[in-house]
Amino acid sequence: QVQLVESGGGLVQPGGSLRLSCAASGSTFSINDMAWYRQAPGKERELVATITTGGTTNYADSTKGRFTISRDNAKNTVYLQMNSLKPEDTAVYYCNAEVIAPKIGVIVCWGKGTLVTVSS
């Protein structure tokens, strides 16, 4: 019904930048809060950043000052601009969205993830 597809991951050197995108597509729907999560090798999945429909943002302490989450409601897309990347940022990044689906109600959707590797 509603699909989230991440893109923009790849290999980047420490100190570099990367911009992730997550586009939602499907039948008629609306999106409430959106978020980015990540899961590093051998670690639990953690919340990276959130953004409300009104643009209010929240960040994990480890990413404050380096990452910026934004959204384009007209394009049903959320972005994550990552600057000053560190090897510790290496992880699979997942897009998450609270979606209002017609005749169904509120559902939580996940993308399949995009890999970000920070290494020299």
Side-chain angles (χ1 to χ4, degrees), residues 36-84:
W36 285 96
Y37 286 75
R38 69 184 181 186
Q39 187 165 21
K43 297 184 178 180
E44 297 182 353
R45 186 173 300 187
E46 65 174 342
L47 179 64
V48 175
T50 62
I51 185 168
T52 68
T53 54
T56 300
T57 59
N58 189 36
Y59 299 90
D61 289 340
S62 61
T63 65
K64 288 182 178 179
R66 300 188 300 120
F67 289 13
T68 301
I69 187 172
S70 62
R71 64 192 292 169
D72 186 335
N73 292 332
K75 296 181 178 180
N76 293 323
T77 301
V78 63
Y79 306 93
L80 184 67
Q81 178 66 47
M82 304 183 293
N83 299 323
S84 302

Side-chain angles (χ1 to χ4, degrees), residues 1-43:
Q1 298 183 30
V2 179
Q3 296 182 327
L4 302 179
V5 180
E6 303 97 335
S7 62
L11 175 64
V12 63
Q13 295 184 345
S17 299
L18 212 58
R19 188 193 190 205
L20 305 183
S21 299
C22 173
S25 63
S27 301
T28 302
F29 62 91
S30 61
I31 303 175
N32 290 336
D33 294 356
M34 301 187 78
W36 285 96
Y37 286 75
R38 69 184 181 186
Q39 187 165 21
K43 297 184 178 180

Side-chain angles (χ1 to χ4, degrees), residues 78-97:
V78 63
Y79 306 93
L80 184 67
Q81 178 66 47
M82 304 183 293
N83 299 323
S84 302
L85 284 164
K86 306 175 181 179
E88 306 92 273
D89 295 318
T90 295
V92 176
Y93 284 71
Y94 298 91
C95 178
N96 173 273

